[in-house]
Amino acid sequence: MRTEGFSGIPSKEIKLSSETIERTPPPEGGTVIIMQRHGNYDRETGHLTPDGRNETLDRSQKIIQEMIEKVPENERKYISLLVVASPTVKNEGQRSMETASAVIETAQDIFGKYNIPKENIMTETPRPTEDIEEPRIFEGDTTYWKFLVEKYGKGTKEFWKAYEEDVHEEERKKMGAEGPVDMSDRFAHFTNVLGRYAHLYHTNHQNEPSRLIIWSVSHYDTITTYFKNHVAGIDQKEYVPVDYDGGMSLVIDSEDKASIAVGETTYPIELTKRGTAVKREIDDK
């Protein structure tokens, strides 16, 4: 089922769900960055629905527990967790922050179960991060948003299709609005920032078998555009669905080599020292 994305071309059955978030734990001296979409939410209030929150708790519990159980028991105390989230507000609610809070709640229970120090959870509440917020057409200068609403209606299927496919690229640029590729670039930039942070973290923990999990909760829009432009290198117009609580995992080893596996395909990811975004070439075959 499509939720927020409405591009019309299928992308060879690629779908990002909670199952495509790898259960592979961070390697010794390495990091896993989980890129997850928020849970199911009420579009009137902007809050997670009760069922949506329970689903997030259940899914995050399975992911964290499976990762921990693959780490040797005597090394589990060196697992640490950092949680960041988009601060996007819709009406009263912050769906990504609420999802991330549920992840922290789950982690606190599981870390206790496996005798991992709870101080290894580096944030009591998610760290709000504007770099992974929703498309920047709803706040500030909303000229382009109004342009799309006038043509297609507010939040309609046609509205999102036009935005995702950048149908009105020329008009959008004249209005100074962020496009889908721009959004993927800022998401990729922040992913590089997280990679640099992870490198510094392990540098400061050289005398122990440190393992770091960074859990980043954002939106359909940020994740699908990042996957298309910076992971798989496929056309922006292709449709890559992202379920509620769905996403992918970026695994970084102790030598800073990074990759994302989705299904049977592993994509090498280049993390740059300056945090700039490196775009993958599109295969036209």
Side-chain angles (χ1 to χ4, degrees):
M1 171 179 150
R2 295 187 182 183
T3 46
E4 290 178 8
F6 297 104
S7 292
I9 305 173
S11 55
K12 301 177 182 178
E13 306 301 322
I14 297 174
K15 178 181 180 180
L16 302 178
S17 68
S18 62
E19 295 304 314
T20 56
I21 296 175
E22 278 201 276
R23 272 58 168 176
T24 302
E28 184 176 326
T31 304
V32 169
I33 301 175
I34 293 175
M35 306 171 190
Q36 182 188 44
R37 184 188 176 193
H38 57 76
N40 197 352
Y41 72 107
D42 185 323
R43 290 175 180 271
E44 294 299 319
T45 67
H47 292 296
L48 293 187
T49 64
D51 286 345
R53 187 174 188 279
N54 288 334
E55 288 166 355
T56 295
L57 289 168
D58 180 62
R59 289 165 177 159
S60 57
Q61 185 267 335
K62 290 177 181 177
I63 293 169
I64 297 170
Q65 186 163 308
E66 287 183 41
M67 292 175 77
I68 288 174
E69 289 180 348
K70 293 175 182 176
V71 175
E73 190 171 347
N74 65 330
E75 295 181 13
R76 291 173 183 169
K77 64 183 178 180
Y78 299 109
I79 299 171
S80 293
L81 173 68
L82 172 66
V83 181
V84 300
S86 160
T88 293
V89 178
K90 181 179 176 65
N91 297 328
E92 302 170 358
Q94 291 181 285
R95 54 197 185 276
S96 295
M97 290 289 286
E98 292 170 24
T99 300
S101 293
V103 169
I104 291 174
E105 181 180 328
T106 296
Q108 289 171 337
D109 291 340
I110 296 176
F111 274 41
K113 176 181 177 181
Y114 288 95
N115 297 314
I116 300 171
K118 289 193 176 181
E119 55 266 29
N120 287 17
I121 301 173
M122 301 159 70
T123 44
E124 292 185 2
T125 58
R127 292 187 183 177
T129 306
E130 293 183 352
D131 292 294
I132 56 175
E133 66 189 0
E134 69 177 0
R136 291 173 174 168
I137 60 172
F138 302 104
E139 301 290 339
D141 187 343
T142 58
T143 305
Y144 184 57
W145 173 78
K146 292 174 182 176
F147 170 82
L148 292 177
V149 169
E150 186 175 335
K151 277 189 169 294
Y152 303 106
K154 185 177 179 181
T156 63
K157 175 179 178 179
E158 292 75 21
F159 173 102
W160 283 110
K161 179 179 172 65
Y163 178 75
E164 284 192 21
E165 296 186 3
D166 212 7
V167 171
H168 305 286
E169 180 180 5
E170 185 176 344
E171 293 91 335
R172 174 185 62 74
K173 287 182 176 178
K174 287 179 180 178
M175 297 175 193
E178 179 182 70
V181 175
D182 302 321
M183 179 170 53
S184 74
D185 287 348
R186 68 169 159 90
F187 190 88
H189 173 84
F190 183 66
T191 300
N192 279 289
V193 170
L194 291 178
R196 295 196 338 264
Y197 170 83
H199 178 83
L200 291 172
Y201 174 87
H202 292 297
T203 299
N204 292 330
H205 293 80
Q206 292 183 66
N207 297 324
E208 59 189 51
S210 58
R211 300 172 191 263
L212 178 63
I213 302 169
I214 302 177
W215 202 300
S216 172
V217 183
S218 59
H219 304 272
Y220 159 83
D221 315 87
T222 49
I223 293 172
T224 191
T225 55
Y226 172 76
F227 179 81
K228 286 184 280 190
N229 290 289
H230 294 276
V231 180
I234 57 179
D235 196 289
Q236 172 60 35
K237 294 182 179 180
E238 293 198 25
Y239 173 58
V240 177
V242 185
D243 288 346
Y244 290 125
D245 295 316
M248 54 192 162
S249 303
L250 173 63
V251 181
I252 308 172
D253 68 15
S254 59
E255 301 298 319
D256 290 333
K257 292 180 180 178
S259 63
I260 290 175
V262 176
E264 297 180 358
T265 304
T266 299
Y267 304 93
I269 304 297
E270 183 176 353
L271 297 176
T272 61
K273 292 182 179 180
R274 294 183 180 274
T276 51
V278 178
K279 196 173 299 181
R280 294 180 66 83
E281 294 298 323
I282 295 175
D283 186 354
D284 293 324
K285 296 180 181 179

